[in-house]
Amino acid sequence: MENEFLMMNCSCCSGKLYQDCCEPFHSKKEFPKTAEELMRSRYAAFAIPNGEYLWKTTLPNKRKFHDKSELEAWGKENTWTKLEIINSSEKEVEFKAYFTDKFGKENIHHELSTFKKVDKKWYYVSGKFLD
């Protein structure tokens, strides 16, 4: 079953297979090289879900504001259907995450996320919700 998942298209909508896209980040074989790669891998981590990855890729001094089990639960209770990158710069990514909640309602999470590179690794810092 796990090998089948590796051969599926990555949920981050890159057009690549999961094994060639976000899996190396989730399995800690590699670390994202850009803020956008980290953002995509975090979206995929919600889709799987992988709360540990989401927490570990949050800037260490911001982790106290996040809970691994809550991150995982939010990923688990929703069906993640599409990621759309609106704009991406070195340290910010504007995106729309499309998902269906546990009540069957379709939603769009529109956010401008800020990232920071520390010791050659990118981390999520914060996000601003947009309309």
Side-chain angles (χ1 to χ4, degrees), residues 6 10 17-29:
L6 291 174
C10 192
L17 293 177
Y18 175 67
Q19 70 179 6
D20 299 327
C21 192
C22 291
E23 189 277 335
F25 307 138
H26 294 165
S27 64
K28 302 175 190 163
K29 294 175 194 164

Side-chain angles (χ1 to χ4, degrees), residues 2 9 11 35 40 68 70 76-77 81 85-86 104 106 108 117 126:
E2 185 176 313
N9 283 337
S11 56
R40 286 182 176 279
K68 283 183 253 188
E70 287 178 13
K76 200 176 282 188
E77 71 186 28
T81 54
I85 303 296
I86 307 299
E106 292 182 3
I108 300 172
K117 195 172 191 178
S126 63

